[in-house]
Amino acid sequence: MRRLFLAALLLLVPVRAGVAQAPAGGMIPAPVAAPGPAPGPVRIVGGPGPGCIAGAVELPAVAPGIKTVRASRSSFWGHPDTVAGLRLLGERAQAAGLPVLFMNDLSNPRGGPMRGHASHQVGLDADVYLDLALPRHFVGAALRDAVEPAGLVRADQRGVELSRWQPGHVTLLRLAFELPGVDRVLVNAAIKKQLCAVVPPAERAWLRRIRPWYAHAAHMHIHFRCPAGQTECGDLPPLPPGDGCDASLQWWFDRLDQPPEPPVARPMPSRPLVPAACGPIMTLRP
């Protein structure tokens, strides 16, 4: 059981050229970021945890098939390829007959620490809500800011709420998997379990990239690979073979029967840390 847990944690360890490495120059306390995106060419430093980005672009508030929501609590900046991929997802979802997709957090304009997230720091992550039943006819930004999409997972965490589950969820998750450059898509284990139940075994190859993770009951987290040429960017380790509809998935439900582990006190830095090379990126003014 513990080996499976450690294997799950390993999926968050960044690698460069296939080997886990510390960022060149070490880590520094994250500086207060200057407003707006960092000027200059696109440059990603770090990731998929601590890091930053220069040359980020903003996802439009409204575009074909997508709308940003909860803007007062979210940020919608990313690598140009990430933003292009999300716009493509909206267009493909619209063509498939799905409702407008509600887009939530990407990254801050210069990346770096983001409230409520360990990742989302280098412009390669995006949260997309999975509630397909919520009315889409929100006229202004104030109404979109108040959106509270419902989760798909039962209170006991052992399955999805079948009253909320739709065939469109399979379509949407597969469209996310098919985007150029997608590394993996994180969802709650109950959602992965439902996919394993409804997708025929002979058609499950794409489920390899749909990975279970904590929370993620109301949204999917799309993680893109480091773009070509971004040598300071850290990728996640390769995924294990298979569709993931196996004992590694059952682990998430077996743990629900275990008593909670006692909390462990760990010293916390006074400020979140980022790679030293992020200092100029986060503070340089245009």
Side-chain angles (χ1 to χ4, degrees):
M1 188 75 68
R2 186 170 296 274
R3 285 195 298 270
L4 286 172
F5 176 67
L6 293 174
L9 289 181
L10 180 62
L11 297 181
L12 293 183
V13 177
V15 296
R16 293 170 181 81
V19 179
Q21 298 178 0
M27 306 289 284
I28 62 171
V32 176
V42 178
R43 178 188 176 193
I44 293 176
V45 176
C52 57
I53 179 172
V57 297
E58 190 173 23
L59 183 71
V62 179
I66 62 172
K67 291 182 179 179
T68 61
V69 296
R70 300 162 61 93
S72 67
R73 294 158 282 176
S74 308
S75 189
F76 305 102
W77 294 80
H79 187 279
D81 290 353
T82 300
V83 171
L86 296 174
R87 297 191 69 164
L88 179 61
L89 177 63
E91 293 166 3
R92 289 179 174 178
Q94 189 175 60
L98 296 176
V100 170
L101 304 180
F102 289 150
M103 316 302 290
N104 197 225
D105 280 331
L106 275 70
S107 295
N108 291 323
R110 299 175 186 232
M114 192 173 194
R115 182 179 61 183
H117 299 285
S119 57
H120 287 265
Q121 296 199 34
V122 297
L124 298 179
D125 300 278
D127 289 344
V128 181
Y129 281 116
L130 296 171
D131 187 343
L132 300 180
L134 197 65
R136 262 53 182 175
H137 303 296
F138 301 106
V139 179
L143 287 174
R144 293 203 312 274
D145 191 57
V147 166
E148 293 288 349
L152 300 182
V153 178
R154 299 195 319 241
D156 66 5
Q157 299 292 306
R158 297 181 184 275
V160 299
E161 286 283 3
L162 293 178
S163 62
R164 297 180 193 150
W165 181 263
Q166 301 179 24
H169 289 114
V170 180
T171 302
L172 175 56
L173 287 159
R174 179 148 192 167
L175 288 174
F177 149 80
E178 292 173 345
L179 291 177
V182 163
D183 176 68
R184 65 199 69 192
V185 179
L186 303 181
V187 296
N188 186 276
I191 296 174
K192 171 78 179 209
K193 178 182 176 182
Q194 180 70 7
L195 290 172
C196 292
V198 300
V199 176
E203 302 173 14
R204 286 183 188 161
W206 64 278
L207 295 188
R208 175 171 176 255
R209 295 197 180 274
I210 311 297
R211 309 304 297 181
W213 199 244
Y214 300 95
H216 293 78
H219 70 276
M220 62 175 166
H221 174 152
I222 304 174
H223 176 68
F224 292 83
R225 292 186 291 274
C226 290
Q230 294 295 327
T231 58
E232 299 168 279
C233 177
D235 266 323
L236 290 166
L239 290 168
D243 57 25
C245 300
D246 52 22
S248 65
L249 176 59
Q250 183 58 39
W251 176 85
W252 293 90
F253 303 100
D254 291 343
R255 61 182 287 275
L256 297 175
D257 299 321
Q258 304 299 318
E261 295 185 4
V264 178
R266 294 185 177 89
M268 296 293 291
S270 57
R271 293 187 62 84
L273 301 178
V274 294
C278 288
I281 290 174
M282 296 183 71
T283 58
L284 181 66
R285 294 181 179 270

